[in-house]
Amino acid sequence: MPDVSADIVLIRARLLAWYDAHARNLPWRAAVGAARTEPYRVWLSEVMLQQTTVPHATPYFHAFTTRWPAVQDLAAAEDADVMAAWAGLGYYARARNLLACARAVANDHGGIFPDTEAGLLALPGVGAYTAAAVAAIAFDRAANVVDGNVERVMARLFAVETPVPAARPELRRLAGLFVTDERPGDWAQGLMDLGATVCRPKSPSCGTCPVADRCQGLAGGEPTRFPVKAKKAERPHRHGFAYVLFDDQGRVAVQTRPNKGLLGGMLGLPTSDWTPQTPPDQPPMRGEWRMAGAVDHVFTHFSLTLTVRTAQGCADSGPWRWMPIETARAALPTVFAKALDRAGAPDLLG
Ligand code: SF4
């Protein structure tokens, strides 16, 4: 690797100047030069953004901060309310970690987030990325904040030929070369913004990039070749049944899923197991079950085809409870909301 120290200084200065002029206006971000955002808002936004995009996360962020304006409010919330509010954001283990962390901050730290990377890392459910991001953005600590955007920018700037994920330690080391005590929070956010708005995955705007003349990936003529990707193993596919059971008042049977496992602790519909071969079709009770078609859904580690069966007017008791359809649709994780929609509307009595 050639000596890049002069480039580092130049790239830092250019990117910070670019950030001063082009910083994204985000609901959880203070304006450049303004007082820093509360750690609670930074932490909440970073946890949400780990699994989704800014436009998708924004309404959730507003909903959470309206309902639970401070970490103590979130700590005092009912688990089920937080899980329901999280529905649609995916990766539901994060919602449980979110609560565990809020309660630790409220109960063990007097409602005040630790202001160092190490202190943040010691909180339950806070990983290396979130600890670094909150330390840099909320407390202006010199922390190396490395997400997918930053990895991509580093891979392109330095034309790193090692495929990811093996290249990750090298990309982290390269990102660390830029971290200093001078404006570390702005540096972290500037780099994230460059990755999100200019050095985009598929179509980077190299023509408007403030560091284009230092970019080895661009100099090679093919910047989108980086980060080099290892061949992906194919995502396995599973099959299952979802049972949409209506009563005569337009309510649907829902149940809370076991805490352990996929969508743990979330609201769900009765289902079969989800298996590589089609599992036995065993509705949870007797009735006139009809086929309502199928829905597809992609999880991180597998894709799923869920055959939807529906029945109505069932009085039998079971491990479920009845919930108005609109309430259920809002609270169910996406895969079950799709199945509910596929079942169509029930016939109501009266
Ligand atoms: Fe990314 Fe293009 Fe800038 Fe290189 S020149 S960092 S590829 S946007």
Side-chain angles (χ1 to χ4, degrees):
M1 177 72 61
D3 179 13
V4 293
S5 47
D7 276 6
I8 300 288
V9 173
L10 186 71
I11 289 170
R12 266 190 60 87
R14 292 251 199 91
L15 187 54
L16 283 167
W18 175 84
Y19 180 68
D20 288 342
H22 299 283
R24 284 179 294 173
N25 183 10
L26 302 174
W28 43 83
R29 182 182 276 180
V32 171
R36 302 233 148 245
T37 307
E38 278 172 52
Y40 171 60
R41 294 168 73 85
V42 175
W43 163 74
L44 186 61
S45 66
E46 288 300 335
V47 176
M48 287 181 171
L49 286 172
Q50 280 171 46
Q51 57 245 9
T52 188
T53 58
V54 167
H56 189 67
T58 297
Y60 286 91
F61 180 81
H62 285 309
F64 267 68
T65 50
T66 302
R67 190 166 177 185
W68 300 296
V71 68
Q72 291 94 335
D73 303 317
L74 184 60
E78 295 290 336
D79 289 33
D81 289 344
V82 174
M83 300 306 267
W86 192 267
L89 268 178
Y91 293 82
Y92 296 96
R94 293 238 167 91
R96 287 196 294 279
N97 286 336
L98 193 81
L99 261 178
C101 180
R103 286 171 183 160
V105 171
N107 299 334
D108 306 338
H109 297 271
I112 297 169
F113 276 85
D115 66 357
T116 63
E117 198 175 347
L120 290 159
L121 198 53
L123 292 170
V126 172
Y129 169 78
T130 307
V134 176
I137 298 169
F139 298 112
D140 218 19
R141 300 275 187 188
N144 192 14
V145 186
V146 184
D147 66 356
N149 281 331
V150 174
E151 285 182 348
R152 182 171 62 257
V153 174
M154 291 301 141
R156 289 174 177 173
L157 273 178
F158 296 100
V160 174
E161 291 289 352
T162 311
V164 284
R168 293 230 154 91
E170 174 66 356
L171 298 174
R172 167 169 288 279
R173 185 190 71 78
L174 289 167
L177 296 176
F178 293 91
V179 176
T180 75
D181 284 332
E182 187 202 346
R183 301 180 64 187
D186 289 344
W187 169 257
Q189 293 177 95
L191 198 51
M192 286 176 186
D193 281 15
L194 187 80
T197 65
V198 176
C199 195
R200 296 181 302 261
K202 291 207 176 86
S203 51
S205 301
C206 302
T208 62
C209 176
V211 293
D213 63 342
R214 314 321 295 168
C215 179
Q216 297 172 33
L218 179 63
E222 226 187 325
T224 50
R225 197 163 68 75
F226 304 98
V228 177
K229 301 222 172 41
K231 272 207 158 74
K232 257 198 195 157
E234 225 169 80
R235 203 193 301 264
H237 192 76
R238 294 188 194 170
H239 302 266
F241 289 92
Y243 300 101
V244 181
L245 187 59
F246 295 113
D247 70 3
D248 293 329
Q249 299 164 42
R251 297 179 304 177
V252 61
V254 296
Q255 58 195 64
T256 303
R257 295 174 62 83
N259 272 334
K260 289 239 178 300
L262 191 74
L263 305 174
M266 300 295 296
L267 204 62
L269 296 169
T271 70
S272 67
D273 289 339
W274 299 346
T275 49
Q277 308 298 329
T278 304
D281 175 15
Q282 293 170 327
M285 55 164 291
R286 283 194 305 279
E288 291 191 14
W289 289 91
R290 65 176 178 80
M291 285 291 181
V295 294
D296 292 308
H297 192 76
V298 178
F299 294 100
T300 315
H301 299 297
F302 66 96
S303 55
L304 173 71
T305 299
L306 212 46
T307 300
V308 180
R309 302 200 65 194
T310 181
Q312 189 176 353
C314 313
D316 288 24
S317 60
W320 50 76
R321 62 187 188 275
W322 300 103
M323 186 176 272
I325 294 173
E326 286 312 318
T327 311
R329 183 179 286 109
L332 284 167
T334 309
V335 61
F336 295 123
K338 284 185 192 173
L340 180 58
D341 285 342
R342 173 63 68 184
D347 297 325
L348 302 187
L349 279 187

